[in-house]
Amino acid sequence: MGNNIQTSQNIENITEKEVGMRKLLNIIGIFIFGGTALTNVSTPLPSSEDTKEFLLFIVGSAIIYYFLVNIYFIGEVGRKIFFTILILLGCFSIFMAFYLGANSVPH
């Protein structure tokens, strides 16, 4: 009698549902950031410097959004990274709210 040895393999199955959700979130991102960029056409900002800062904000936000959406669907490690970054962004936002409330910028 011989021993039957079975090894386990870590295979990640990407379901059709995950692919569909990833695609949907990427399409929603196009509408969110495309629509936000188009607001500059309908309501122009007073100076070109303001327009530049506005578009840089949109591009930065879009990069963070797409990075987080796509890293979430990599797998279990990607989800851990996603939630860690989300928690850090939330803590930074709360810190900045208190900091800007205490140190207001004169206009």
Side-chain angles (χ1 to χ4, degrees):
M1 286 196 150
N3 292 336
N4 289 337
I5 299 174
Q6 294 181 347
T7 59
S8 64
Q9 296 177 351
N10 293 333
I11 299 174
E12 291 188 29
N13 294 329
I14 299 175
T15 63
E16 191 72 29
K17 189 176 183 180
E18 282 185 346
V19 172
M21 183 60 72
R22 183 180 194 172
K23 191 174 186 179
L24 175 68
L25 289 172
N26 283 324
I27 291 170
I28 288 173
I30 290 171
F31 282 107
I32 289 171
F33 297 109
T36 307
L38 284 177
T39 60
N40 194 32
V41 174
S42 63
T43 311
L45 293 169
S47 70
S48 63
E49 184 66 29
D50 290 339
T51 303
K52 179 182 171 186
E53 290 176 5
F54 177 68
L55 293 176
L56 282 173
F57 171 76
I58 292 172
V59 168
S61 299
I63 289 170
I64 291 170
Y65 175 82
Y66 285 112
F67 173 74
L68 288 175
V69 164
N70 290 306
I71 202 165
Y72 179 82
F73 290 103
I74 288 176
E76 191 63 34
V77 174
R79 288 190 173 107
K80 288 179 183 178
I81 294 170
F82 169 83
F83 286 117
T84 303
I85 292 173
L86 212 59
I87 289 169
L88 290 174
L89 282 172
C91 292
F92 180 72
S93 297
I94 292 170
F95 168 75
M96 286 306 293
F98 284 115
Y99 176 79
L100 292 174
N103 304 314
S104 62
V105 178
H107 292 294

